[in-house]
Amino acid sequence: MSFPEKLLRSKVFIWTLLVLPGLWPVWPVFVSGNPSVGADPLKYVLHHYGFVACVLLATVLAFTPLRVLFPKSKLALALNRHRRLVGVAGFAYALLHLTAYLFHDGWATLVHDVWAKPKTFILAGLGAFTILLVLAITSVNAFVRWLGGKRWKNLHRLAYLAAALAAYHQIYARKLFPVQVLWIFGPLVVLEILRVVRQRTAANPEAREKM
Amino acid sequence: MHLRFPKDWALPAAAVTPEPLYRLAQRREFLKTLGIGLAGAALLRPSALLAATAGFPAKGNPLYPGTALKPTAEEYVTSFNNFYEFGTDKSEPKDYANKGWKTDPWTVELAGLVNQPAKFDVNELVKKIGGLEERVYRHRCVEAWSMVIPWDGFPLAKLVALAEPKPEAKYVRFVSFNDPAHAVGQKEGNLDYPYVEGLRLDEATHELAFIATGIYGKALPNQNGAPLRLVTPWKYGFKGIKSIVRIEFTAAQPKNTWSVMAPDEYGFYANVNPKVDHPRWSQASERVIGAGLLGGRQATLMFNGYEKQVAALYKGMDLAKNF
Ligand code: HEM
């Protein structure tokens, strides 16, 4: 087994990668005392966790197309062992993001923006969060068995909707278009397009002959 | 670029204060190339010396004291800025507005429908107006956060009086600088530049409307809009156009930058109003800057707490429509 493969198969390594971004805000908020962060530290935390949630969501969704596109790659296979872990971590960061929001803006603001005067930007966040919550709960083994493979798989396709809602939410969180959305979700879109092309040609022997 | 090597480059800041500032900036570049940029920049701090220096110390205006409102810590006011000319991140203006962008000398022009069109050097303007006063105002950003800032400056009404607007003049149009070579945001074109703002003439001559040339008793740092900017404390912060080069009196309502950019989100009036939401967030409450990790949510006040003073300006107007 090659070293990169060993690393990517390692649970400890993946856990470390997943936990470290959660600790990151400790540095500017408590240690370096950066005044641009200290002005509104919780907003910084809120943005950071939302950002990590989006990155993890895009990452975990990229695992499947990577496996399809590189069926012989041991690395793609190694990554796919961690789908559940990375997906649940994405939910955990969304939960941290929502918690930060509730401390920052308060319940009254949430109710106002969801119920009294609904804002599509907040509704999209709430929709993405609800999907991630359902998917996290149903990724417990007992649930997977209870639902059965096919139904479970169909349910978990909602992750794509969650990603679309999260991308919309991230874009509309800003006054101007945030370019980072492109490099978070762009690669995923490219991989998905390539996967569809690959599966089409694989399913169609004539097309395969022409290739 | 032509580089000069001033003889006294190693002297402490106190010893070199009266230097022309373009040389200070160059010296900073020189120090950087020597690899001691950080230490050098901290020593010389050109931002503290730039901008309009006339009129300090300002006299406190007892009507707007710092005792009723507790000013936000200065380091937050100077490092948490919306000044898209120098980047969209709150931390960016402090860096990018202090990299060779010169705010001294600075000329501001009075133009349009006036009897006394003129161009003034900012320092001369301050002297002509009769000095500076300090006022502590609430500051409410459209993004639902707030500060309390001790401004040094003079009432805008005095400037309007200097220009002697003609009877046809109904609005005042403010234009900021345009210098893409020194302003990264302008180079990127993140908004339509130069930045433009506007007021109705009766708003501009209201006692609260203020032109600031300083904060905390010192000349405005570049990132806060040196050397002179508009302050209208009953309106959202984006009305407070920074680094003004031209003040024009017009008959038609000026098109202000953000209302052109996103007309459904930002209007001409931009009066602080807890009952009228931004399309994407509530304006009912605000985050107090500098209140720490968990503190600092407070209710937003009508006209940002200046209702008594300004409500009459908008009598009979539908404030939800004229947001
Ligand atoms: C009920 C659920 C949610 C609420 C109430 C919520 C609220 C917010 C708010 C208020 C902002 C903007 C803050 C500001 O700049 O003023 C924001 C930004 C953001 N949120 Fe959420 N959010 C929710 C769910 C989610 C989920 C599920 C994700 C990702 C999977 C997410 C990712 C983001 C990202 C990436 C940003 C932008 C951060 C930035 O601009 O730097 N949010 N959210």
Side-chain angles (χ1 to χ4, degrees):
Chain A
M1 205 185 287
S2 68
F3 179 69
E5 189 192 349
K6 233 188 204 160
L7 209 56
L8 284 189
R9 284 172 70 102
S10 152
K11 273 225 153 111
V12 177
F13 178 68
I14 300 294
W15 264 94
T16 312
L17 281 189
L18 293 175
V19 170
L20 279 181
L23 302 177
W24 170 257
V26 171
W27 173 252
V29 173
F30 295 109
V31 184
S32 79
N34 176 351
S36 303
V37 173
D40 193 353
L42 197 53
K43 181 70 137 239
Y44 176 84
V45 171
L46 179 154
H47 279 175
H48 178 71
Y49 287 157
F51 166 76
V52 178
C54 279
V55 169
L56 291 181
L57 191 54
T59 304
V60 74
L61 286 175
F63 286 0
T64 308
L66 277 176
R67 200 193 51 202
V68 172
L69 290 169
F70 306 100
K72 295 210 185 92
S73 160
K74 296 234 165 78
L75 298 184
L77 217 69
L79 281 176
N80 272 275
R81 295 159 63 93
H82 305 295
R83 272 166 56 186
R84 174 156 58 179
L85 180 57
V86 177
V88 172
F91 163 71
Y93 278 103
L95 183 62
L96 284 170
H97 172 70
L98 177 59
T99 310
Y101 167 85
L102 287 174
F103 276 106
H104 187 277
D105 289 55
W107 280 99
T109 307
L110 182 64
V111 171
H112 179 89
D113 285 353
V114 168
W115 195 255
K117 288 182 186 160
K119 314 275 189 298
T120 46
F121 142 70
I122 292 292
L123 292 178
L126 188 61
F129 179 78
T130 311
I131 292 174
L132 294 179
L133 175 69
V134 170
L135 300 194
I137 292 172
T138 55
S139 51
V140 178
N141 278 336
F143 255 112
V144 184
R145 253 177 274 127
W146 181 70
L147 277 167
K150 186 134 196 157
R151 264 195 295 169
W152 188 89
K153 213 170 163 184
N154 279 339
L155 180 66
H156 279 243
R157 289 220 166 100
L158 283 175
Y160 293 102
L161 178 59
L165 290 171
Y168 174 91
H169 173 79
Q170 180 173 24
I171 291 168
Y172 283 90
R174 291 283 176 110
K175 289 199 288 195
L176 301 180
F177 183 86
V179 182
Q180 57 177 10
V181 174
L182 293 182
W183 61 258
I184 295 177
F185 291 100
L188 174 63
V189 172
V190 172
L191 283 174
E192 288 295 348
I193 291 172
L194 291 176
R195 164 162 84 153
V196 170
V197 172
R198 167 68 63 92
Q199 283 174 335
R200 284 256 167 98
T201 48
N204 178 349
E206 253 173 63
R208 205 165 14 165
E209 258 161 45
K210 277 186 204 141
M211 271 175 77
Chain B
M1 193 181 77
H2 178 70
L3 250 184
R4 285 208 234 174
F5 292 85
K7 288 186 283 295
D8 52 351
W9 63 269
L11 289 181
V16 297
T17 320
E19 273 288 303
L21 289 159
Y22 63 91
R23 291 187 65 185
L24 261 184
Q26 284 186 339
R27 198 173 310 133
R28 202 161 57 122
E29 287 304 306
F30 171 58
L31 285 176
K32 261 194 214 147
T33 58
L34 283 181
I36 51 174
L38 270 181
L43 252 181
L44 295 166
R45 265 197 200 284
S47 63
L49 299 165
L50 287 163
T53 45
F56 292 96
K59 270 209 215 107
N61 182 329
L63 289 173
Y64 311 99
T67 44
L69 298 167
K70 189 174 160 284
T72 305
E74 184 180 347
E75 62 168 340
Y76 297 139
V77 177
T78 56
S79 21
F80 189 80
N81 305 102
N82 275 330
F83 197 173
Y84 279 24
E85 282 82 342
F86 297 100
T88 55
D89 217 77
K90 302 276 188 299
S91 63
E92 285 176 324
K94 187 182 179 177
D95 286 343
Y96 293 118
N98 292 299
K99 288 194 167 132
W101 176 52
K102 284 181 272 177
T103 54
D104 177 50
W106 190 276
T107 309
V108 57
E109 186 181 4
L110 300 179
L113 304 169
V114 293
N115 291 324
Q116 304 291 344
K119 282 186 179 173
F120 292 105
D121 169 77
V122 177
N123 286 315
E124 272 159 32
L125 177 64
V126 169
K127 284 178 204 147
K128 200 168 170 84
I129 292 267
L132 303 178
E133 61 177 76
E134 184 190 78
R135 297 184 179 190
V136 180
Y137 277 160
R138 288 187 197 87
H139 178 80
R140 170 62 155 79
C141 179
V142 74
E143 297 165 358
W145 52 261
S146 69
M147 296 175 171
V148 171
I149 304 174
W151 301 101
D152 304 279
F154 52 84
L156 175 56
K158 286 195 185 176
L159 196 62
V160 173
L162 214 58
E164 293 180 20
K166 294 180 175 167
E168 314 90 91
K170 294 286 181 285
Y171 295 91
V172 188
R173 180 173 181 266
F174 301 84
V175 184
S176 184
F177 76 103
N178 197 18
D179 183 2
H182 293 103
V184 281
Q186 294 185 331
K187 202 158 137 193
E188 285 167 12
N190 56 20
L191 286 177
D192 280 341
Y193 291 113
Y195 195 88
V196 171
E197 260 307 339
L199 293 173
R200 244 169 37 196
L201 190 57
D202 59 341
E203 295 178 317
T205 51
H206 190 278
E207 56 161 309
L208 284 176
F210 201 62
I211 294 288
T213 61
I215 48 173
Y216 299 90
K218 289 168 284 190
L220 273 177
N222 282 359
Q223 66 268 30
N224 294 84
L228 84 168
R229 61 167 293 168
L230 177 64
V231 182
T232 44
W234 71 98
K235 292 174 179 289
Y236 292 122
F238 71 88
K239 291 298 284 186
I241 183 170
K242 299 182 173 85
S243 309
I244 300 165
V245 297
R246 188 176 156 88
I247 300 174
E248 201 182 323
F249 294 74
T250 63
Q253 181 174 303
K255 292 187 166 56
N256 51 320
T257 299
W258 275 107
S259 79
V260 172
M261 182 80 190
D264 53 327
E265 301 195 350
Y266 311 98
F268 173 76
Y269 284 95
N271 291 319
V272 176
N273 188 340
K275 289 186 292 260
V276 177
D277 281 6
H278 184 278
R280 286 180 282 126
W281 58 83
S282 157
Q283 298 288 26
S285 62
E286 66 205 28
R287 189 79 179 171
V288 179
I289 295 304
L293 193 60
L294 293 179
R297 194 91 202 161
Q298 70 183 21
T300 292
L301 303 170
M302 188 64 200
F303 294 115
N304 202 24
Y306 301 99
E307 186 170 11
K308 240 195 274 168
Q309 290 96 321
V310 300
L313 289 171
Y314 310 104
K315 230 180 182 162
M317 270 175 68
D318 181 345
L319 295 179
K321 251 191 213 141
N322 298 285
F323 56 86

